[in-house]
Amino acid sequence: MGHHPPVDDWTSDFDHTDDVWAADPYPIWEELRTKCPVAHTERYGGAWLPTRYEDVAAIAYDTDRFTSRSVIVSEFRPPMDFAPAGIAPPISSDPPFHQDARRMLLPIFSPQAVAKLEPSTRAYCEELIDGLRGHEIVDAAEGYAQHIPVRVIANMLGLPESDADVFRGFVNHVLEGVALPLEQRAEGMLSLFGYLQGQIQDHIDHPRDDLITFLLESELHGEKVDPFHVARTIGLLLIAGIDTTWSAIGASLWHLAKTPSDRERLLAEPELLPVAMEEMLRAYAPVTMARLVREDMEWNGCPMKAEEWVLLPFPSANRDPEAFEHADEVIIDRAENRHAAFGLGIHRCAGSHLARMELRVALEVWLDAFPVFELANPAAVRWSGGQVRGPRTLPVRVRR
Amino acid sequence: MLIDVDLESQCGERPIRVGQARCYFTAPDLFEPDDIGDGYVIGDGTVPPGQEGQARLAVANCPERAITIDEDDDDEEGD
């Protein structure tokens, strides 16, 4: 990403947008867990990095001392007057407002609601595969994984599929543009909200059977939901629903491309896929969340200052040997798997049933079409940095 | 054996089910989802003979560590 100087000392000057972190963060976390389990940096106006499962969990559960006012670390701290909803409710809302704003979304993402989306998701995956057939080398991230959640979430929300490139641009800016200077970052955020407000006005004028209209007609605390709240929630769903699932699908395909024994086992025992998925979610969890320290305090011996960030690297928690046996090994039939890939506590992922369905269908359709595939060039695989980790370039050689 | 789910475990000021969905996935005979995908214990939580393994699996897979089992409760009312 290269907007910040390279990191020299991960204990006192870490940066989650550093190229070394993006390429392979696991050795960094492993070293920190034993040497300096809660690291610090002066970058981003001050940030902390717990790396052990128990510390990540304790902070995720402590909504009193850590606020969710913003969950993406950058130089930008949203103004206090966005409370109680925050800039992207409910992920940016603290209790007690949070619970009702979240409850409003849950029926849309229930397992029953998600099951209805499975046939169209499968058809879309098959359509993408048809476009890849006939090529010896295909990009499983660019040509497959990235398109699936964009299409699914655009259809759910009621945003035009033809705007897919626009969404991806926004999401990329929000998640990967965190090391940009404040002004450039603000510009990108404003253009996202400008776009969403246009879409919401169009739904107010022309209601239809989709999530934007559903939210506009929902009630919160006895009143219709403010369209500005709806815009910010839609922004959240767009951002949370795209890169995360794309990353999970891509990382799983990357693992299977480089691990023929696991790929062959899944071909022989397709019923193992749901268990295998959980293990790939554990080992390659895409999402790191964040909090802001509410007030100056000492936390586990760390002098935390108000408005400093705290990253919650669930992918590191998932590799903690104190929490998982053989934490660094992918054990495709791991039966006991208390992974935190979807987060922990009140802010845990609201779309996990949708994400799991997309991941399962994407892998089923891929394995059915391309039972034999391998990394075409391991050195060409490129991973995203920042708070959502997944392969962005993933060339694989497919054999029929 | 008896299952107990602690709904208020570490989940803020009001009880809220967090809905990780791991219990009804790993122990479908003992847990079921409600209409928003949160897991509920089926029946009164008594684990039928032969399903102790499923119960332990549910405990071991709950990221919120909200499920406990009472291994000594032998269902005094009898089978």
Side-chain angles (χ1 to χ4, degrees):
Chain A
M1 253 166 280
H3 301 290
H4 283 172
V7 171
D8 211 34
D9 181 347
W10 289 96
T11 66
S12 64
D13 184 38
F14 76 82
D15 193 328
H16 61 303
T17 64
D18 192 89
D19 290 340
V20 175
W21 173 302
D24 187 8
Y26 302 107
I28 299 171
W29 296 332
E30 190 185 346
E31 198 183 344
L32 289 176
R33 274 194 300 268
T34 52
K35 241 174 67 183
C36 176
V38 186
H40 186 258
T41 187
E42 294 296 333
R43 302 183 191 213
Y44 307 100
W48 296 90
L49 175 69
T51 44
R52 291 180 177 166
Y53 188 102
E54 289 302 335
D55 288 343
V56 171
I59 295 168
Y61 288 131
D62 190 345
T63 55
D64 291 331
R65 291 189 289 176
F66 300 93
T67 165
S68 286
R69 199 171 95 238
S70 176
V71 294
I72 300 177
V73 172
S74 75
E75 296 291 347
F76 174 70
R77 286 165 175 75
M80 300 277 190
D81 55 13
F82 275 67
I87 51 166
I91 207 169
S92 60
S93 324
D94 288 320
F97 184 90
H98 162 268
Q99 190 174 349
D100 299 320
R102 177 183 171 95
R103 184 68 180 76
M104 186 169 77
L105 295 178
L106 293 179
I108 308 161
F109 293 104
S110 72
Q112 298 86 337
V114 164
K116 292 188 190 135
L117 303 172
E118 184 167 333
S120 58
T121 304
R122 189 172 298 276
Y124 184 51
C125 291
E126 284 164 354
E127 191 185 314
L128 288 169
I129 291 283
D130 285 341
L132 301 175
R133 283 184 204 279
H135 298 272
E136 187 197 347
I137 293 177
V138 300
D139 193 315
E142 266 184 54
Y144 188 64
Q146 74 160 327
H147 299 288
I148 299 163
V150 175
R151 172 98 159 229
V152 170
I153 203 81
N155 281 333
M156 269 185 96
L157 295 178
L159 297 173
E161 269 173 38
S162 51
D163 287 349
D165 287 339
V166 179
F167 314 147
R168 270 198 302 269
F170 287 140
V171 171
N172 184 56
H173 176 82
V174 171
L175 293 173
E176 294 200 45
V178 293
L180 291 173
L182 199 52
E183 276 164 40
Q184 255 173 285
R185 179 138 179 91
E187 231 170 78
M189 302 286 249
L190 282 175
S191 81
L192 168 60
F193 284 105
Y195 171 81
L196 291 176
Q197 271 170 336
Q199 291 293 332
I200 282 165
Q201 191 55 50
D202 192 54
H203 279 74
I204 292 172
D205 299 340
H206 311 282
R208 53 202 101 151
D209 181 19
D210 61 27
L211 214 156
I212 293 180
T213 298
F214 170 83
L215 288 178
L216 286 168
E217 289 173 358
S218 295
E219 288 194 353
L220 191 60
H221 305 129
E223 284 174 34
K224 276 224 167 144
V225 186
D226 173 10
F228 185 44
H229 179 130
V230 174
R232 288 173 291 163
T233 292
I234 297 299
L236 164 66
L237 297 180
L238 206 51
I239 291 158
I242 293 181
D243 260 35
T244 52
T245 310
W246 162 17
S247 297
I249 297 169
S252 300
L253 289 172
W254 172 77
H255 174 79
L256 296 175
K258 72 183 183 68
T259 322
S261 54
D262 285 348
R263 180 178 50 74
E264 281 158 16
R265 179 128 186 237
L266 284 182
L267 291 171
E269 298 170 53
E271 67 285 358
L272 187 63
L273 183 60
V275 171
M277 265 169 49
E278 297 301 322
E279 174 64 347
M280 293 191 282
L281 283 168
R282 181 193 69 82
Y284 311 116
V287 181
T288 291
M289 274 288 111
R291 302 285 186 266
L292 284 164
V293 176
R294 215 185 278 274
E295 288 168 12
D296 289 4
M297 64 160 167
E298 195 175 293
W299 190 88
N300 271 13
C302 303
M304 296 188 171
K305 296 208 169 40
E307 296 293 274
E308 280 193 306
W309 299 98
V310 183
L311 278 169
L312 295 178
F314 296 110
S316 173
N318 281 352
R319 297 287 193 111
D320 184 349
E322 296 286 315
F324 298 92
E325 281 179 32
H326 307 290
D328 272 332
E329 280 173 48
V330 174
I331 299 170
I332 206 80
D333 58 356
R334 188 185 289 270
E336 299 190 358
N337 195 347
R338 191 177 270 157
H339 73 77
F342 292 110
L344 293 168
I346 64 168
H347 288 286
R348 74 159 223 98
C349 178
S352 64
H353 309 300
L354 177 65
R356 284 187 169 118
M357 182 278 283
E358 291 178 66
L359 176 56
R360 179 175 49 77
V361 170
L363 294 177
E364 282 170 358
V365 171
W366 178 280
L367 285 169
D368 190 48
F370 304 128
V372 182
F373 62 104
E374 62 189 9
L375 295 180
N377 175 7
V381 177
R382 190 183 63 81
W383 297 79
S384 55
Q387 285 181 235
V388 181
R389 174 179 163 79
R392 295 294 175 262
T393 306
L394 180 56
V396 296
R397 180 175 291 105
V398 296
R399 300 216 185 108
R400 296 306 320 275
Chain B
M1 187 186 272
L2 197 67
I3 300 174
D4 184 41
V5 179
D6 179 6
L7 293 178
E8 294 179 63
S9 67
Q10 303 159 326
C11 283
E13 53 201 51
R14 283 192 274 173
I16 179 170
R17 282 166 203 263
V18 174
Q20 293 268 9
R22 299 287 287 146
C23 56
Y24 54 84
F25 172 74
T26 51
D29 297 325
L30 302 174
F31 296 87
E32 62 187 354
D34 69 356
D35 61 348
I36 55 170
D38 290 352
Y40 280 79
V41 178
I42 297 171
D44 67 359
T46 305
V47 179
Q51 293 185 357
E52 294 85 354
Q54 261 199 36
R56 291 191 192 100
L57 214 49
V59 173
N61 280 283
C62 177
E64 308 293 342
R65 290 175 278 193
I67 307 168
T68 48
I69 43 180
D70 184 351
E71 296 268 358
D72 297 329
D73 196 304
D74 286 334
D75 188 13
E76 281 161 22
E77 287 161 42
D79 293 330

